[in-house]
Amino acid sequence: MASLNRPEDTAGIPEALIVEDSLAQAHIISRMIEAQGWACRHCPTLQEAYDVLSARKARGRTIQALFLDVFVGAYDALAHVTRMKTFTKGAPLILMTAGGGHEATETTLNRARQTAADFVLRKPFAPNHVCHIFETCFAVPGQAVPRKHVVVIDGNAGIRAHIRRVLETGGYRVSDFADVDSAVERVDMVHVDLVLCEVIMRGTGGLRGMHRIKQTFPHIQVVAMSAGVEGRISGARALSMSRQMGIDAQLPKPFGDDDLTQLIGLMLTDAALID
């Protein structure tokens, strides 16, 4: 697989970095990635990966996807996810693992899911898993054109699932969570475009959580949604409170699919048009 470490041949082609201590595994993964029209660079150690990422950053370049094995040699790479993300400028970071000798595979997978990685793959995985990642993250996979990233936060799993289906059908990349804390901990919020959040929630709470997101990441468009709480607070009152806190737009529940897609499309096309 001569193309695995020949970045000079990748001009104009999106490139993935594979951090994997097994050359055989790296070749298998690279074939899946190259089938998507991408080039690959393989680093067998974390230090070599940092050298490659640092060199690209110094030249104002970056890789378009990072495939990181959880156990690289004697090192647990989960401790490096946050630092790795500082080099990728929003490119998806995909963790891969078949587990380690000292812990069950499911334990490793659960630890991986608690990081800020974008995807977690259990080895061995198939080409369709790589295809799904690229289709989710890039509007034009072979050109690595990123999709707009929307985060949905709602305590109702059914509502989250429905909104995800509608927005993914509309071409958006969607991440969904049951509470604000999980979203902030597990998503690279710096590269999120819009947050859609229920006002009345457990934990940090929707109002406080949205205010926290808006203060920390002012570039993110934030939409409050609510039906209120029967007998306690109306949906109109809940949304009014969010408006007073500087949230960008409000969406009263229940809402139709067209209402949702039109509002999100408008906000991500020209936020200045939202009143």
PDB file of all heavy atoms in Angstrom, residues 113-133:
ATOM      1  N   ARG A 113     -16.633   6.377  24.481  1.00  0.00           N
ATOM      2  CA  ARG A 113     -17.849   7.162  24.214  1.00  0.00           C
ATOM      3  C   ARG A 113     -17.961   8.376  25.132  1.00  0.00           C
ATOM      4  O   ARG A 113     -18.734   9.298  24.844  1.00  0.00           O
ATOM      5  CB  ARG A 113     -19.084   6.270  24.365  1.00  0.00           C
ATOM      6  CG  ARG A 113     -19.168   5.163  23.313  1.00  0.00           C
ATOM      7  CD  ARG A 113     -20.437   4.339  23.469  1.00  0.00           C
ATOM      8  NE  ARG A 113     -20.433   3.212  22.537  1.00  0.00           N
ATOM      9  CZ  ARG A 113     -20.357   1.923  22.913  1.00  0.00           C
ATOM     10  NH1 ARG A 113     -20.302   1.608  24.209  1.00  0.00           N
ATOM     11  NH2 ARG A 113     -20.356   0.964  22.011  1.00  0.00           N
ATOM     12  N   GLN A 114     -17.219   8.374  26.227  1.00  0.00           N
ATOM     13  CA  GLN A 114     -17.275   9.505  27.160  1.00  0.00           C
ATOM     14  C   GLN A 114     -16.304  10.621  26.792  1.00  0.00           C
ATOM     15  O   GLN A 114     -16.243  11.640  27.480  1.00  0.00           O
ATOM     16  CB  GLN A 114     -16.971   9.007  28.585  1.00  0.00           C
ATOM     17  CG  GLN A 114     -17.985   8.008  29.131  1.00  0.00           C
ATOM     18  CD  GLN A 114     -19.410   8.513  29.051  1.00  0.00           C
ATOM     19  OE1 GLN A 114     -19.705   9.629  29.492  1.00  0.00           O
ATOM     20  NE2 GLN A 114     -20.302   7.704  28.498  1.00  0.00           N
ATOM     21  N   THR A 115     -15.555  10.435  25.739  1.00  0.00           N
ATOM     22  CA  THR A 115     -14.619  11.475  25.295  1.00  0.00           C
ATOM     23  C   THR A 115     -15.297  12.400  24.295  1.00  0.00           C
ATOM     24  O   THR A 115     -16.470  12.238  23.968  1.00  0.00           O
ATOM     25  CB  THR A 115     -13.384  10.841  24.627  1.00  0.00           C
ATOM     26  OG1 THR A 115     -13.771  10.258  23.371  1.00  0.00           O
ATOM     27  CG2 THR A 115     -12.777   9.765  25.508  1.00  0.00           C
ATOM     28  N   ALA A 116     -14.529  13.351  23.781  1.00  0.00           N
ATOM     29  CA  ALA A 116     -15.053  14.282  22.779  1.00  0.00           C
ATOM     30  C   ALA A 116     -14.872  13.758  21.361  1.00  0.00           C
ATOM     31  O   ALA A 116     -14.957  14.523  20.396  1.00  0.00           O
ATOM     32  CB  ALA A 116     -14.358  15.633  22.926  1.00  0.00           C
ATOM     33  N   ALA A 117     -14.629  12.458  21.218  1.00  0.00           N
ATOM     34  CA  ALA A 117     -14.509  11.882  19.875  1.00  0.00           C
ATOM     35  C   ALA A 117     -15.853  11.960  19.157  1.00  0.00           C
ATOM     36  O   ALA A 117     -16.915  11.904  19.779  1.00  0.00           O
ATOM     37  CB  ALA A 117     -14.045  10.433  19.962  1.00  0.00           C
ATOM     38  N   ASP A 118     -15.796  12.066  17.831  1.00  0.00           N
ATOM     39  CA  ASP A 118     -17.024  12.167  17.046  1.00  0.00           C
ATOM     40  C   ASP A 118     -17.675  10.812  16.812  1.00  0.00           C
ATOM     41  O   ASP A 118     -18.906  10.710  16.744  1.00  0.00           O
ATOM     42  CB  ASP A 118     -16.710  12.833  15.695  1.00  0.00           C
ATOM     43  CG  ASP A 118     -16.195  14.243  15.872  1.00  0.00           C
ATOM     44  OD1 ASP A 118     -17.018  15.135  16.106  1.00  0.00           O
ATOM     45  OD2 ASP A 118     -14.971  14.437  15.800  1.00  0.00           O
ATOM     46  N   PHE A 119     -16.853   9.764  16.675  1.00  0.00           N
ATOM     47  CA  PHE A 119     -17.373   8.425  16.429  1.00  0.00           C
ATOM     48  C   PHE A 119     -16.511   7.415  17.167  1.00  0.00           C
ATOM     49  O   PHE A 119     -15.320   7.635  17.384  1.00  0.00           O
ATOM     50  CB  PHE A 119     -17.365   8.093  14.927  1.00  0.00           C
ATOM     51  CG  PHE A 119     -18.212   9.012  14.094  1.00  0.00           C
ATOM     52  CD1 PHE A 119     -17.667  10.151  13.522  1.00  0.00           C
ATOM     53  CD2 PHE A 119     -19.558   8.738  13.883  1.00  0.00           C
ATOM     54  CE1 PHE A 119     -18.439  11.010  12.763  1.00  0.00           C
ATOM     55  CE2 PHE A 119     -20.335   9.597  13.128  1.00  0.00           C
ATOM     56  CZ  PHE A 119     -19.779  10.730  12.567  1.00  0.00           C
ATOM     57  N   VAL A 120     -17.124   6.290  17.529  1.00  0.00           N
ATOM     58  CA  VAL A 120     -16.408   5.182  18.162  1.00  0.00           C
ATOM     59  C   VAL A 120     -16.734   3.920  17.371  1.00  0.00           C
ATOM     60  O   VAL A 120     -17.901   3.558  17.209  1.00  0.00           O
ATOM     61  CB  VAL A 120     -16.817   5.005  19.637  1.00  0.00           C
ATOM     62  CG1 VAL A 120     -16.113   3.800  20.240  1.00  0.00           C
ATOM     63  CG2 VAL A 120     -16.508   6.267  20.441  1.00  0.00           C
ATOM     64  N   LEU A 121     -15.693   3.247  16.870  1.00  0.00           N
ATOM     65  CA  LEU A 121     -15.863   2.037  16.076  1.00  0.00           C
ATOM     66  C   LEU A 121     -15.277   0.837  16.812  1.00  0.00           C
ATOM     67  O   LEU A 121     -14.154   0.892  17.309  1.00  0.00           O
ATOM     68  CB  LEU A 121     -15.165   2.176  14.724  1.00  0.00           C
ATOM     69  CG  LEU A 121     -15.729   3.214  13.753  1.00  0.00           C
ATOM     70  CD1 LEU A 121     -14.871   3.253  12.495  1.00  0.00           C
ATOM     71  CD2 LEU A 121     -17.174   2.906  13.407  1.00  0.00           C
ATOM     72  N   ARG A 122     -16.044  -0.223  16.835  1.00  0.00           N
ATOM     73  CA  ARG A 122     -15.560  -1.478  17.401  1.00  0.00           C
ATOM     74  C   ARG A 122     -14.900  -2.295  16.295  1.00  0.00           C
ATOM     75  O   ARG A 122     -15.488  -2.554  15.261  1.00  0.00           O
ATOM     76  CB  ARG A 122     -16.722  -2.270  18.009  1.00  0.00           C
ATOM     77  CG  ARG A 122     -16.309  -3.592  18.646  1.00  0.00           C
ATOM     78  CD  ARG A 122     -17.491  -4.270  19.312  1.00  0.00           C
ATOM     79  NE  ARG A 122     -17.089  -5.394  20.113  1.00  0.00           N
ATOM     80  CZ  ARG A 122     -17.692  -5.787  21.224  1.00  0.00           C
ATOM     81  NH1 ARG A 122     -18.746  -5.113  21.660  1.00  0.00           N
ATOM     82  NH2 ARG A 122     -17.263  -6.830  21.903  1.00  0.00           N
ATOM     83  N   LYS A 123     -13.661  -2.678  16.517  1.00  0.00           N
ATOM     84  CA  LYS A 123     -12.953  -3.508  15.544  1.00  0.00           C
ATOM     85  C   LYS A 123     -13.406  -4.964  15.677  1.00  0.00           C
ATOM     86  O   LYS A 123     -13.662  -5.429  16.798  1.00  0.00           O
ATOM     87  CB  LYS A 123     -11.445  -3.435  15.774  1.00  0.00           C
ATOM     88  CG  LYS A 123     -10.803  -2.111  15.444  1.00  0.00           C
ATOM     89  CD  LYS A 123      -9.316  -2.232  15.752  1.00  0.00           C
ATOM     90  CE  LYS A 123      -8.525  -1.024  15.384  1.00  0.00           C
ATOM     91  NZ  LYS A 123      -7.103  -1.163  15.765  1.00  0.00           N
ATOM     92  N   PRO A 124     -13.468  -5.697  14.561  1.00  0.00           N
ATOM     93  CA  PRO A 124     -13.254  -5.207  13.194  1.00  0.00           C
ATOM     94  C   PRO A 124     -14.519  -4.518  12.683  1.00  0.00           C
ATOM     95  O   PRO A 124     -15.628  -4.941  12.996  1.00  0.00           O
ATOM     96  CB  PRO A 124     -12.975  -6.493  12.415  1.00  0.00           C
ATOM     97  CG  PRO A 124     -13.767  -7.534  13.154  1.00  0.00           C
ATOM     98  CD  PRO A 124     -13.701  -7.145  14.603  1.00  0.00           C
ATOM     99  N   PHE A 125     -14.335  -3.451  11.905  1.00  0.00           N
ATOM    100  CA  PHE A 125     -15.489  -2.772  11.310  1.00  0.00           C
ATOM    101  C   PHE A 125     -15.420  -2.899   9.799  1.00  0.00           C
ATOM    102  O   PHE A 125     -14.390  -3.268   9.236  1.00  0.00           O
ATOM    103  CB  PHE A 125     -15.551  -1.305  11.745  1.00  0.00           C
ATOM    104  CG  PHE A 125     -14.272  -0.536  11.576  1.00  0.00           C
ATOM    105  CD1 PHE A 125     -13.970   0.094  10.384  1.00  0.00           C
ATOM    106  CD2 PHE A 125     -13.372  -0.428  12.634  1.00  0.00           C
ATOM    107  CE1 PHE A 125     -12.804   0.819  10.230  1.00  0.00           C
ATOM    108  CE2 PHE A 125     -12.193   0.295  12.497  1.00  0.00           C
ATOM    109  CZ  PHE A 125     -11.905   0.919  11.292  1.00  0.00           C
ATOM    110  N   ALA A 126     -16.526  -2.591   9.155  1.00  0.00           N
ATOM    111  CA  ALA A 126     -16.670  -2.826   7.719  1.00  0.00           C
ATOM    112  C   ALA A 126     -16.589  -1.521   6.930  1.00  0.00           C
ATOM    113  O   ALA A 126     -16.734  -0.436   7.503  1.00  0.00           O
ATOM    114  CB  ALA A 126     -17.996  -3.528   7.446  1.00  0.00           C
ATOM    115  N   PRO A 127     -16.387  -1.601   5.613  1.00  0.00           N
ATOM    116  CA  PRO A 127     -16.337  -0.389   4.785  1.00  0.00           C
ATOM    117  C   PRO A 127     -17.573   0.488   4.904  1.00  0.00           C
ATOM    118  O   PRO A 127     -17.474   1.715   4.817  1.00  0.00           O
ATOM    119  CB  PRO A 127     -16.190  -0.948   3.365  1.00  0.00           C
ATOM    120  CG  PRO A 127     -15.496  -2.259   3.550  1.00  0.00           C
ATOM    121  CD  PRO A 127     -16.046  -2.821   4.831  1.00  0.00           C
ATOM    122  N   ASN A 128     -18.741  -0.127   5.139  1.00  0.00           N
ATOM    123  CA  ASN A 128     -19.957   0.686   5.230  1.00  0.00           C
ATOM    124  C   ASN A 128     -19.942   1.586   6.463  1.00  0.00           C
ATOM    125  O   ASN A 128     -20.588   2.639   6.482  1.00  0.00           O
ATOM    126  CB  ASN A 128     -21.205  -0.197   5.231  1.00  0.00           C
ATOM    127  CG  ASN A 128     -21.291  -1.100   6.444  1.00  0.00           C
ATOM    128  OD1 ASN A 128     -20.499  -2.022   6.589  1.00  0.00           O
ATOM    129  ND2 ASN A 128     -22.254  -0.843   7.316  1.00  0.00           N
ATOM    130  N   HIS A 129     -19.187   1.202   7.505  1.00  0.00           N
ATOM    131  CA  HIS A 129     -19.069   2.068   8.678  1.00  0.00           C
ATOM    132  C   HIS A 129     -18.283   3.334   8.331  1.00  0.00           C
ATOM    133  O   HIS A 129     -18.647   4.435   8.751  1.00  0.00           O
ATOM    134  CB  HIS A 129     -18.376   1.324   9.821  1.00  0.00           C
ATOM    135  CG  HIS A 129     -19.171   0.189  10.370  1.00  0.00           C
ATOM    136  ND1 HIS A 129     -18.845  -1.121  10.149  1.00  0.00           N
ATOM    137  CD2 HIS A 129     -20.302   0.160  11.122  1.00  0.00           C
ATOM    138  CE1 HIS A 129     -19.710  -1.908  10.752  1.00  0.00           C
ATOM    139  NE2 HIS A 129     -20.619  -1.154  11.345  1.00  0.00           N
ATOM    140  N   VAL A 130     -17.216   3.180   7.558  1.00  0.00           N
ATOM    141  CA  VAL A 130     -16.431   4.341   7.130  1.00  0.00           C
ATOM    142  C   VAL A 130     -17.262   5.203   6.181  1.00  0.00           C
ATOM    143  O   VAL A 130     -17.264   6.438   6.289  1.00  0.00           O
ATOM    144  CB  VAL A 130     -15.127   3.884   6.444  1.00  0.00           C
ATOM    145  CG1 VAL A 130     -14.374   5.083   5.863  1.00  0.00           C
ATOM    146  CG2 VAL A 130     -14.246   3.135   7.436  1.00  0.00           C
ATOM    147  N   CYS A 131     -17.978   4.566   5.293  1.00  0.00           N
ATOM    148  CA  CYS A 131     -18.844   5.299   4.356  1.00  0.00           C
ATOM    149  C   CYS A 131     -19.878   6.114   5.118  1.00  0.00           C
ATOM    150  O   CYS A 131     -20.131   7.281   4.794  1.00  0.00           O
ATOM    151  CB  CYS A 131     -19.520   4.317   3.403  1.00  0.00           C
ATOM    152  SG  CYS A 131     -20.593   5.088   2.180  1.00  0.00           S
ATOM    153  N   HIS A 132     -20.472   5.515   6.151  1.00  0.00           N
ATOM    154  CA  HIS A 132     -21.473   6.221   6.955  1.00  0.00           C
ATOM    155  C   HIS A 132     -20.877   7.462   7.619  1.00  0.00           C
ATOM    156  O   HIS A 132     -21.506   8.532   7.647  1.00  0.00           O
ATOM    157  CB  HIS A 132     -22.054   5.290   8.016  1.00  0.00           C
ATOM    158  CG  HIS A 132     -22.888   5.991   9.050  1.00  0.00           C
ATOM    159  ND1 HIS A 132     -24.143   6.493   8.780  1.00  0.00           N
ATOM    160  CD2 HIS A 132     -22.624   6.311  10.364  1.00  0.00           C
ATOM    161  CE1 HIS A 132     -24.634   7.072   9.862  1.00  0.00           C
ATOM    162  NE2 HIS A 132     -23.728   6.983  10.827  1.00  0.00           N
ATOM    163  N   ILE A 133     -19.671   7.330   8.162  1.00  0.00           N
ATOM    164  CA  ILE A 133     -19.024   8.474   8.812  1.00  0.00           C
ATOM    165  C   ILE A 133     -18.816   9.608   7.819  1.00  0.00           C
ATOM    166  O   ILE A 133     -19.111  10.772   8.104  1.00  0.00           O
ATOM    167  CB  ILE A 133     -17.688   8.040   9.437  1.00  0.00           C
ATOM    168  CG1 ILE A 133     -17.944   7.147  10.654  1.00  0.00           C
ATOM    169  CG2 ILE A 133     -16.839   9.254   9.824  1.00  0.00           C
ATOM    170  CD1 ILE A 133     -16.697   6.512  11.224  1.00  0.00           C
TER     171      ILE A 133
END
